[in-house]
Amino acid sequence: MKGNLTTLVTTVLVLVLLGVAAGFVWSAVAPPTQYVLTDIGPQPADLEGQSLIAADGWFAVIGAVCGLVCGVVAYLLSRARPVPAVLGIAGGGLLASYVASLVGSSAKGTIQASAAGGLTTSTSLGLTAHGVLFAWPVVATGVFWILEFVLTYRLRGDA
């Protein structure tokens, strides 16, 4: 039981640290959204929202790549304890995605107050499609179980 708990906690902690790195990568590659400050508050300058969609897309791609790597590494390192590893990459991947969104949003900057006598714009980075938070854990667990199935298929056939 202690070994299973250690595997689970270690996996989650490693993924949270990777989430911090992924947040910085996301803030570096995703396009910032331009805002116009109005009397009712900040409004996106791009009414079609292409930069918002692109930021979500980059987050999903980074999360999926991280999930792919985590799923392969978890499978290779946890052959003796697969269940806590899968639980760790599922929960840790979701937590890492959340941490990445927080780090990426704060690393890019926030909306600033308008200047006296006029409207100014500034940049911000944030998620609008919160479903992309699930890219990391879904890909990680999917890759883990695909590897499990493919690499143990012959063993199951011989039995």
Side-chain angles (χ1 to χ4, degrees):
M1 181 69 169
K2 185 178 180 180
N4 289 340
L5 188 59
T6 302
T7 300
L8 176 69
V9 170
T10 303
T11 304
V12 169
L13 290 177
V14 168
L15 290 182
V16 168
L17 292 175
L18 289 175
V20 172
F24 284 116
V25 170
W26 178 52
S27 75
V29 299
T33 301
Q34 295 291 325
Y35 285 90
V36 176
L37 299 175
T38 64
D39 292 336
I40 59 171
Q43 300 296 318
D46 179 12
L47 296 178
E48 294 180 15
Q50 297 301 315
S51 62
L52 296 172
I53 295 168
D56 290 346
W58 275 109
F59 190 87
V61 167
I62 292 167
V65 168
C66 289
L68 177 70
V69 171
C70 290
V72 170
V73 170
Y75 180 78
L76 294 175
L77 294 178
S78 69
R79 302 198 70 166
R81 291 186 163 85
V83 173
V86 169
L87 293 174
I89 60 175
L94 188 58
L95 187 58
S97 286
Y98 180 70
V99 167
S101 71
L102 293 177
V103 169
S105 296
S106 63
K108 198 64 148 186
T110 57
I111 299 171
Q112 301 168 358
S114 63
L119 302 176
T120 60
T121 61
S122 62
T123 59
S124 180
L125 182 63
L127 290 178
T128 55
H130 297 289
V132 297
L133 291 169
F134 291 100
W136 190 326
V138 167
V139 170
T141 54
V143 165
F144 187 97
W145 289 118
I146 287 170
L147 287 172
E148 176 69 19
F149 176 76
V150 169
L151 296 177
T152 62
Y153 179 73
R154 290 178 49 172
L155 296 174
R156 286 189 310 269
D158 293 338

